[in-house]
Amino acid sequence: MLRVKILASAVPLLLAGVVAGGEMIPSPSPCIAIGRASMQIATAPWQNPLRVSFTDDPETATVRVQVVDTADLADFTVIDGTQTAETDSCAVTRDTSFVSIAAHASASEPVIYLSQNRDADYRIFVQSRSFSTREAAALVVGAGRRVRMAERSM
């Protein structure tokens, strides 16, 4: 009888965790390596992510990201199907940072404008089944912000 009560009390907690944004079985999320650290798309609210948002209005953007047609023109490239030397480069460690894509813009968070125009802060090329262009842009902006913060603390 005690086992049934424990099971009955555990099931609502598991369901609450899933509804709150967690996952029963973690799946790999888009990630980039930054030296010994990594930047990942947040999958749970307790990961304390940097939040970014997107806009269709170039006047309200704080960061411009150009989507280019070839990998040679990009600052950051995502292409599926290539093997890398560092297979564990995106393992979650204490140096891992997280970024999430917010539904609405905030004055304290980067607001990204994706375009084909050349006057951009970053240039990306994405040919992937696991990364969307927005996820790649969010990771690049988050990584760029992390690097600038680290340079300020030196």
Side-chain angles (χ1 to χ4, degrees):
M1 186 68 177
L2 181 61
R3 290 181 189 166
V4 173
K5 287 182 181 180
I6 291 173
L7 181 63
S9 65
V11 170
L13 291 175
L14 288 173
L15 291 175
V18 170
V19 170
E23 299 177 3
M24 292 292 283
I25 301 170
S27 60
S29 64
C31 169
I32 59 174
I34 312 165
R36 286 187 267 161
S38 65
M39 174 73 61
Q40 292 189 14
I41 295 292
T43 57
W46 57 82
Q47 292 172 326
N48 192 20
L50 163 69
R51 287 173 172 60
V52 299
S53 61
F54 287 85
T55 184
D56 293 329
D57 181 10
E59 300 300 319
T60 61
T62 59
V63 181
R64 297 173 193 278
V65 176
Q66 179 186 5
V67 180
V68 296
D69 296 328
T70 64
D72 296 340
L73 299 173
D75 299 321
F76 179 72
T77 302
V78 177
I79 301 174
D80 283 350
T82 59
Q83 295 293 327
T84 63
E86 299 177 26
T87 56
D88 291 349
S89 62
C90 281
V92 176
T93 66
R94 64 181 176 89
D95 295 324
T96 301
S97 297
F98 297 94
V99 63
S100 69
I101 300 171
H104 303 287
S106 169
S108 62
E109 301 165 350
V111 179
I112 302 169
Y113 176 68
L114 293 174
S115 75
Q116 300 292 327
N117 299 337
R118 295 180 190 259
D119 62 333
D121 301 303
Y122 302 99
R123 294 182 309 266
I124 63 171
F125 175 78
V126 180
Q127 182 179 338
S128 173
R129 283 185 231 126
S130 58
F131 271 63
S132 71
T133 302
R134 290 170 60 109
E135 289 170 332
L139 288 169
V140 168
V141 169
R145 187 171 176 146
R146 177 184 170 137
V147 168
R148 283 195 301 276
M149 299 284 270
E151 288 172 353
R152 280 189 224 148
S153 65
M154 290 183 161

